Amino acid sequence: MKRKTLALYLALVLALCLLPSAGLAVTGFEESSDADAAPAPALTASDGSPNLGLLSDAGAFFEDHFALRNELVTAANTLTSALFGVSSQDSVIVGRDGWLYYADSLDDYQGTNQLSEREVFAVARQIALMQEHCYESSADFLFAVAPNKASLYGEHMPARLKAGEESSSNLRRLEAALEEQGVSYVSLMELLGSQRDQGSLEGGALYHKRDSHWTNEGAAIAADALLEALGAEHKAYAVQPAQTRRDFSGDLDRMLFPAAPTLEDELYYEGWPSFQYCGEVESNFDPQISTVSEQGEGSLLMYRDSFGNALLPFMAECYPSAHFSRSVPYQLSADIAAYGAGTVVVERAERFIPNMARNAPIMQAVPLAELSALEGAQAVEPFSVESIQQGAELTTLTGELPPEALEATSRIFVCLGGELYYEALPQCGQDGSQQFVITLPSGLFERYGGEVELLAGSGAPADGLDFVELSGAQQRAYDAACEAFQQAAAALGPQEEPIDPDAPVVEVSREKYLDCDGSGHGTLVITYSNGTTKEERF
């Protein structure tokens, strides 16, 4: 009897072990709910060479697509969340009262691993220089941060996780730095915090319980504030009649319970925003989306992340032409020229603020006229400098500077030929290194023979910037730089030259689009000279 029991037990264990692989004969490979699920293995790499990591790629693919995966993941998370209040997914936190949270917002919630003062300044200064570039290009500019769900509704976080001081959070410190830099900014934290329990859905929350993002109502309130700040004619949807439907499936819920997600209520406004997509769009999270509308005026370029999914309809309705990009780093100069943008909006989730310190935008620097900003600046010898060609028109210099040469609020300046000055974008490496990025018309580097000097200083005098009279040589250099700015901007715009079908097809650009889960995975879009594109997961 004991032998029969043991044999039955071993047979059951063996069957359970074989189920994920043997079940493939019946179910085939399962679709994974994970945003960073491994793609099917390829025999060759992107350059055509043999894929030496084929076996590891195959193993990773099997782990994410084995038979009955979704059912087994659902069963495991149902058990662990009910018994222990935790999940088997490292990226999801099981909260109280049925609430779920993204784990990558935990540092913000607890006030741990926060940005240094230098990193906060780097983000604020990058945004301020983006604004300056937009103004130089005759475009309006606006920046906004979408708060983490835990920042607004932290009372549903697990009791074992203690909240940090909100006043010292990355977001609050960045808001103060943006104010100092004079950035056009809308505080969605203040706005949504003042209405956090006044929503129309059950419980009054403006964020979904089982998703990491705001509801349509929360997005409508945010969009109304952005459009109001831009002075754009718009309809305030948040006060319009709406229908409630229980048809929303949360991203966090699908990660934990892919075979049995719990549907939530969602609001749908009467007279839903009217606009049309240009071309085929799979979802509002596509890397690049263009829209047209019969309402409003002007053109919009909006950089957004996953919070922009629900924002897009409200913004798109108000501009006859709009383009929504997930490009990181932001290709600001090229995009303004390509889409004729008269308005630029940057929306970033709170949990992604650290990423901004490490991904300076690619944009043509504006020549520095307020030379009093150089007062007290000292020459700095960089550790390294690398030159990167951005097409035929622009060249980007990037390099690393000695940390001891920079204070928390030091600005970085570049001098060409001893007479022409620019401000470089500050950037901070993951390892704490201090970096700079600057993009200029290639012709300027050639004109000055590549002679570049780097300076660092605190920027403006205590009583503010003064516009000083330039010397004759400086004025001529400044005028030449402004002309180069306009020429490069024009060259970046749409070109009418037909594509030669017999010309060799070469790679033109590579752009990364990160997933919304903070995993570091995403999609690489490769564009070729014949206009075709190719997508690769990373």
Side-chain angles (χ1 to χ4, degrees), residues 407-462:
E407 298 178 356
T409 59
S410 290
R411 294 162 65 182
I412 304 168
F413 303 99
V414 171
C415 178
L416 298 182
E419 59 182 12
L420 184 57
Y421 293 89
Y422 290 89
E423 183 172 353
L425 291 156
Q427 182 173 274
C428 303
Q430 185 76 41
D431 58 356
S433 59
Q434 298 303 315
Q435 305 164 0
F436 73 92
V437 177
I438 187 166
T439 301
L440 294 170
S442 301
L444 282 180
F445 286 113
E446 296 169 2
R447 173 178 174 178
Y448 290 101
E451 183 183 344
V452 175
E453 182 184 6
L454 291 169
L455 304 96
S458 58

Side-chain angles (χ1 to χ4, degrees), residues 149-499:
K149 185 166 78 170
S151 297
L152 287 173
Y153 300 99
E155 67 271 22
H156 301 288
M157 287 284 280
R160 68 180 185 278
L161 301 177
K162 302 302 180 184
E165 290 293 331
E166 182 197 346
S167 60
S168 60
S169 69
N170 288 335
L171 176 55
R172 290 305 192 190
R173 291 156 62 217
L174 177 60
E175 288 182 329
L178 292 173
E179 185 174 354
E180 291 178 4
Q181 296 289 336
V183 170
S184 179
Y185 170 71
V186 172
S187 177
L188 297 180
M189 183 68 177
E190 291 291 341
L191 174 68
L192 297 175
S194 67
Q195 304 180 45
R196 64 184 297 279
D197 298 319
Q198 300 174 22
S200 304
L201 297 176
E202 183 181 354
L206 300 174
Y207 279 51
H208 287 290
K209 291 176 64 174
R210 305 180 74 77
D211 190 273
S212 57
H213 306 95
W214 44 35
T215 64
N216 281 340
E217 185 175 16
I221 293 171
D224 183 52
L226 297 180
L227 293 165
E228 189 73 30
L230 292 167
E233 184 178 345
H234 66 285
K235 183 177 181 180
Y237 278 95
V239 296
Q240 302 299 316
Q243 236 182 29
T244 300
R245 296 185 221 149
R246 180 153 292 189
D247 61 358
F248 183 84
S249 176
D251 56 358
L252 304 177
D253 192 70
R254 293 193 303 273
M255 291 173 67
L256 291 190
F257 312 105
T262 301
L263 295 181
E264 294 186 70
D265 288 343
E266 182 59 286
L267 281 182
Y268 297 90
Y269 293 99
E270 291 184 11
W272 189 250
S274 175
F275 67 96
Q276 291 80 44
Y277 294 106
C278 300
E280 294 185 7
V281 174
E282 184 176 335
S283 78
N284 281 354
F285 199 53
D286 282 9
Q288 304 283 352
I289 297 175
S290 291
T291 63
V292 293
S293 171
E294 296 180 355
Q295 303 180 50
E297 58 182 29
S299 56
L300 170 69
L301 168 63
M302 183 171 180
Y303 294 106
R304 91 290 186 206
D305 48 34
S306 54
F307 276 89
N309 294 0
L311 276 180
L312 187 148
F314 304 108
M315 304 297 292
E317 180 182 61
C318 301
Y319 292 90
S321 172
H323 186 79
F324 300 86
S325 174
R326 284 178 47 218
S327 176
V328 176
Y330 304 137
Q331 305 290 322
L332 189 61
S333 294
D335 288 343
I336 288 178
Y339 302 108
T343 300
V344 175
V345 175
V346 178
E347 171 274 315
R348 201 68 169 144
E350 179 186 353
R351 63 179 181 265
F352 290 145
I353 290 174
N355 294 33
M356 299 187 74
R358 300 174 181 97
N359 289 279
I362 304 300
M363 64 185 198
Q364 185 180 338
V366 178
L368 194 68
E370 63 276 24
L371 295 186
S372 60
L374 298 170
E375 185 175 310
Q378 300 292 321
V380 178
E381 192 67 32
F383 286 154
S384 63
V385 177
E386 180 184 1
S387 176
I388 304 170
Q389 194 71 27
Q390 304 285 346
E393 297 80 24
L394 298 176
T395 299
T396 294
L397 286 185
T398 181
E400 182 178 345
L401 299 173
E404 63 272 12
L406 301 174
E407 298 178 356
T409 59
S410 290
R411 294 162 65 182
I412 304 168
F413 303 99
V414 171
C415 178
L416 298 182
E419 59 182 12
L420 184 57
Y421 293 89
Y422 290 89
E423 183 172 353
L425 291 156
Q427 182 173 274
C428 303
Q430 185 76 41
D431 58 356
S433 59
Q434 298 303 315
Q435 305 164 0
F436 73 92
V437 177
I438 187 166
T439 301
L440 294 170
S442 301
L444 282 180
F445 286 113
E446 296 169 2
R447 173 178 174 178
Y448 290 101
E451 183 183 344
V452 175
E453 182 184 6
L454 291 169
L455 304 96
S458 58
D463 56 353
L465 288 176
D466 296 322
F467 282 82
V468 299
E469 185 175 349
L470 302 178
S471 68
Q474 289 171 336
Q475 185 65 58
R476 288 191 296 274
Y478 182 81
D479 292 341
C482 288
E483 183 180 353
F485 182 97
Q486 299 301 330
Q487 289 175 349
L492 290 171
Q495 303 299 308
E496 306 243 342
E497 298 177 7
I499 296 175

Side-chain angles (χ1 to χ4, degrees), residues 3-192:
R3 289 184 178 180
K4 289 183 179 180
T5 303
L6 178 60
L8 182 62
Y9 174 76
L10 292 175
L12 179 60
V13 171
L14 181 62
L16 289 174
C17 292
L18 292 175
L19 182 62
S21 53
L24 291 174
V26 179
T27 66
F29 286 110
E30 289 266 336
E31 288 295 326
S32 174
S33 60
D34 290 349
D36 59 343
L43 293 176
T44 59
S46 57
D47 60 0
S49 61
N51 181 11
L52 300 181
L54 179 62
L55 291 179
S56 62
D57 290 350
F61 177 77
F62 177 79
E63 289 177 7
D64 289 336
H65 299 84
F66 57 79
L68 301 178
R69 178 188 187 279
N70 290 341
E71 288 75 9
L72 293 172
V73 168
T74 298
N77 281 313
T78 299
L79 185 64
T80 57
S81 61
L83 293 179
F84 309 110
V86 298
S87 76
S88 60
Q89 296 277 358
D90 292 338
S91 56
V92 182
I93 296 173
V94 176
R96 292 175 285 184
D97 310 314
W99 285 64
L100 302 175
Y101 297 86
Y102 251 138
D104 64 350
S105 66
L106 187 57
D107 282 345
D108 291 323
Y109 177 71
Q110 294 189 303
T112 55
N113 298 320
Q114 292 192 328
L115 294 177
S116 67
E117 291 304 312
R118 177 63 186 171
E119 289 172 319
V120 172
F121 173 80
V123 176
R125 193 62 197 152
Q126 285 179 20
I127 298 167
L129 291 172
M130 288 181 70
Q131 177 174 273
E132 181 179 338
H133 179 88
C134 289
Y135 290 167
E136 191 74 15
S137 303
S138 302
D140 294 328
F141 179 83
L142 186 65
F143 178 70
V145 175
N148 297 334
K149 185 166 78 170
S151 297
L152 287 173
Y153 300 99
E155 67 271 22
H156 301 288
M157 287 284 280
R160 68 180 185 278
L161 301 177
K162 302 302 180 184
E165 290 293 331
E166 182 197 346
S167 60
S168 60
S169 69
N170 288 335
L171 176 55
R172 290 305 192 190
R173 291 156 62 217
L174 177 60
E175 288 182 329
L178 292 173
E179 185 174 354
E180 291 178 4
Q181 296 289 336
V183 170
S184 179
Y185 170 71
V186 172
S187 177
L188 297 180
M189 183 68 177
E190 291 291 341
L191 174 68
L192 297 175

